[in-house]
Amino acid sequence: MILMSGSLLVSSCGGSESSASAEEAAATEPAAPVTNYREQRQVSFEKGLKFPESVASDGETYYVSNLGGRKSSKRPEPTKKDKNGYIAKFDADGNLLEGKFISGLHAPKGMVLIGDRLYVTDIDKVYGYDVTNGEKVTEIPFEGGVEFLNDIAEGPDGTLFVTATDKNAIYQLTLGEEPKIEQIETTENIPSPNGITYDAEANALYVVSYAGPVGRVFKVDLVQTTPKVSYVTKHEGQLDGVVKIGAFLLTTDWNSQSMWLLDITDTNAPREHPMAARISGPADFYYDQAAGEFWIPAMLEDKVYIQTYALRP
């Protein structure tokens, strides 16, 4: 079973003005689909969701980070330290197992599950939790005025990659008794980096930008002494989550309120196909390749959409 996770947001990714523009953006007219659509299910906030941002899973249990807040709240506050954030736990059918499996967070966003450790970003810290009991085992603060840690991805040899949307920065976090944080100095800055995923075969990162309305998809080649940054496709938007599946990237876009399938076999003429349409605030999704399932948080709807596709581009 191949399990992947894609990252946020609006103010989940860029402040209240960006949030408003994302909410008001009209959805694009979907093109003819290149996938066989089979099923769609959804989980509403009554089942434990409030501004859901990210999903992580081992294929059996699903963890959803929530910025939280009052039920009447209409706008997420991704940088507010209010201890309203939490992580809810669901089964594979979307049934709520525990609404506040982990609580007391501020605005938890990106997550990655490695064995029985769940790592989550929360404004200016990365936490690690033991999912067997929900207890905190790691707390790693980031310095330098970071206020918007966003997505997180597993790298090689006990490392994690973390985006800081407010600092236009990507960090490499080496776990251990004394965790080490290093900013990755690249050939050019990526504006408002949001979702991130690591491609072990190419030793590269794929990073999507929330710099709406012209956020792009970037490749960061880690083979270089100074990692080289290049554009991957021409698609632009307020991009959030991202995963790589073979020669294809999938990303969520707040502008079009959709998830997009991007064919990167030819970077000079990439194909771009809208998939899930009209999801308000599509954030950091999770993909289970074995089941063909996508768990897509709809942050501005207080829902998670579970969508099944047969990917046949």
Side-chain angles (χ1 to χ4, degrees):
M1 178 178 291
I2 300 175
L3 306 175
M4 310 177 193
S5 176
S7 161
L8 170 79
L9 219 190
V10 186
S11 218
S12 236
C13 247
S16 60
E17 292 183 4
S18 295
S19 175
S21 63
E23 286 186 80
E24 296 167 0
T28 57
E29 188 71 18
V34 293
T35 60
N36 290 335
Y37 176 83
R38 292 204 305 263
E39 183 178 1
Q40 175 175 311
R41 296 174 290 166
Q42 69 182 36
V43 181
S44 68
F45 75 90
E46 285 87 0
K47 290 189 176 181
L49 302 175
K50 186 61 183 177
F51 298 132
E53 205 287 325
S54 181
V55 180
S57 176
D58 58 7
E60 296 181 1
T61 305
Y62 290 73
Y63 304 91
V64 181
S65 63
N66 293 263
L67 273 64
R70 298 186 302 274
K71 269 192 175 183
S72 59
S73 299
K74 301 298 182 182
R75 206 177 295 279
E77 298 180 289
T79 60
K80 185 175 181 179
K81 293 187 174 183
D82 53 14
K83 293 188 177 181
N84 285 330
Y86 62 94
I87 297 172
K89 184 166 67 171
F90 298 82
D91 68 14
D93 293 318
N95 297 310
L96 181 64
L97 299 177
E98 193 169 346
K100 298 290 180 68
F101 175 61
I102 297 169
S103 59
L105 295 165
H106 297 301
K109 301 181 184 69
M111 298 189 296
V112 62
L113 182 62
I114 304 174
D116 60 3
R117 294 290 187 267
L118 180 66
Y119 295 95
V120 56
T121 64
D122 189 10
I123 299 182
D124 56 3
K125 293 182 180 179
V126 168
Y127 293 103
Y129 294 92
D130 184 338
V131 294
T132 64
N133 53 27
E135 292 184 2
K136 182 173 67 177
V137 294
T138 304
E139 180 176 333
I140 305 169
F142 281 61
E143 299 179 350
V146 173
E147 295 181 344
F148 207 139
L149 295 180
N150 205 327
D151 198 16
I152 186 168
E154 181 181 5
D157 304 321
T159 62
L160 299 171
F161 295 106
V162 183
T163 58
T165 303
D166 60 325
K167 294 295 184 180
N168 299 329
I170 302 170
Y171 296 94
Q172 180 171 303
L173 169 58
T174 303
L175 300 171
E177 291 186 7
E178 295 185 8
K180 182 180 180 181
I181 302 171
E182 298 176 282
Q183 183 174 343
I184 299 176
E185 299 294 339
T186 55
T187 54
E188 63 178 280
N189 286 333
I190 296 175
S192 302
N194 192 338
I196 187 169
T197 189
Y198 176 67
D199 181 353
E201 183 177 354
N203 192 20
L205 298 169
Y206 288 92
V207 183
V208 297
S209 166
Y210 192 80
V214 292
R216 302 281 293 274
V217 181
F218 298 86
K219 181 179 181 181
V220 181
D221 185 353
L222 299 176
V223 176
Q224 316 288 336
T225 302
T226 300
K228 180 182 178 181
V229 174
S230 58
Y231 295 116
V232 175
T233 76
K234 296 179 181 179
H235 185 80
E236 296 181 343
Q238 289 178 296
L239 308 184
D240 197 318
V242 62
V243 300
K244 184 175 184 290
I245 307 170
F248 301 92
L249 288 175
L250 290 103
T251 185
T252 45
D253 180 2
W254 286 62
N255 273 8
S256 63
Q257 301 180 15
S258 301
M259 182 168 67
W260 289 75
L261 176 70
L262 308 175
D263 179 353
I264 59 174
T265 54
D266 182 356
T267 55
N268 292 317
R271 293 186 297 162
E272 302 172 355
H273 307 288
M275 294 173 66
R278 295 201 65 83
I279 294 177
S280 187
D284 182 15
F285 63 98
Y286 168 85
Y287 176 56
D288 180 344
Q289 185 168 339
E293 278 192 348
F294 297 83
W295 283 53
I296 310 172
M299 179 174 288
L300 302 182
E301 299 178 34
D302 295 330
K303 295 178 182 177
V304 169
Y305 288 89
I306 306 174
Q307 298 184 334
T308 305
Y309 293 93
L311 290 177
R312 296 172 185 168

